[in-house]
Amino acid sequence: MSFTFEIASAAPAPRLFKAAGIDWHNLGPKLAPEKIVSAAILEGEGSVGSVRQFNFGAGAPFSHIKERLDFIDLENLEAKTTLIEGGGLGVVLQSASTQIKVEPKAGGSVVKVTATCVPLPGVNAAEEAEKAKATFTEVVKGCEAYLLANPEAYN
């Protein structure tokens, strides 16, 4: 199953891509410490092949995720990650990957997200897709608010 959605933002595309796509492991715990307890790069230095882990607080549907950075294009503001542990793997998902592209738009940018997942048999895929959309939108909007309040960040 694959689904695509867009999130409009008032933040400039290059800054939003850096904050939400590249540096979320550093920024996320600062912006949402009640949700993201900690995050770090486990393997690599943030380039293709790197693995990062996000650890979530009480009340989250799962304790952590590990994702591998499969593709990054800093010039075209595109990245692709694959979920390799946690985050519902083996519980509701067989596999999952996400591709983002941040494009400039008058007055800000638009984040285009394509998620591809294979749900386990019996899982309501539409419900899981809605949860993923809501979570990703929350990340983008959190970054947007931070970037607008901190015009010097991620330049």
Side-chain angles (χ1 to χ4, degrees), residues 64-82:
H64 74 285
I65 64 166
K66 282 186 187 175
E67 64 181 14
R68 181 184 62 241
L69 183 60
D70 295 324
F71 172 80
I72 186 165
D73 183 335
L74 296 172
E75 188 175 311
N76 291 307
L77 310 177
E78 288 185 73
K80 181 181 178 188
T81 59
T82 297

Side-chain angles (χ1 to χ4, degrees), residues 40-72:
I41 294 176
L42 301 179
E43 298 175 24
E45 297 176 12
S47 57
V48 171
S50 294
V51 173
R52 56 188 184 178
Q53 179 168 325
F54 297 84
N55 300 303
F56 304 108
F62 31 81
S63 63
H64 74 285
I65 64 166
K66 282 186 187 175
E67 64 181 14
R68 181 184 62 241
L69 183 60
D70 295 324
F71 172 80
I72 186 165

Side-chain angles (χ1 to χ4, degrees), residues 1 3 125-136:
M1 171 181 123
F3 59 94
E127 184 178 306
E128 294 304 315
E130 288 306 312
K131 289 179 189 176
K133 288 177 188 179
T135 299
F136 207 87

Side-chain angles (χ1 to χ4, degrees), residues 14-25 27 143 146-147 154:
R15 293 177 62 217
L16 186 58
F17 180 73
K18 288 176 194 171
I22 303 302
D23 199 44
W24 184 241
H25 62 280
L27 189 58
C143 288
Y146 175 81
L147 293 171
Y154 295 97

Side-chain angles (χ1 to χ4, degrees), residues 1-6 93 95-99 112-119 125-134 136:
M1 171 181 123
S2 184
F3 59 94
T4 301
F5 61 102
E6 295 184 358
L93 298 170
S95 63
S97 63
T98 306
Q99 183 167 350
K112 296 182 177 185
V113 181
T114 300
T116 304
C117 63
V118 178
E127 184 178 306
E128 294 304 315
E130 288 306 312
K131 289 179 189 176
K133 288 177 188 179
F136 207 87

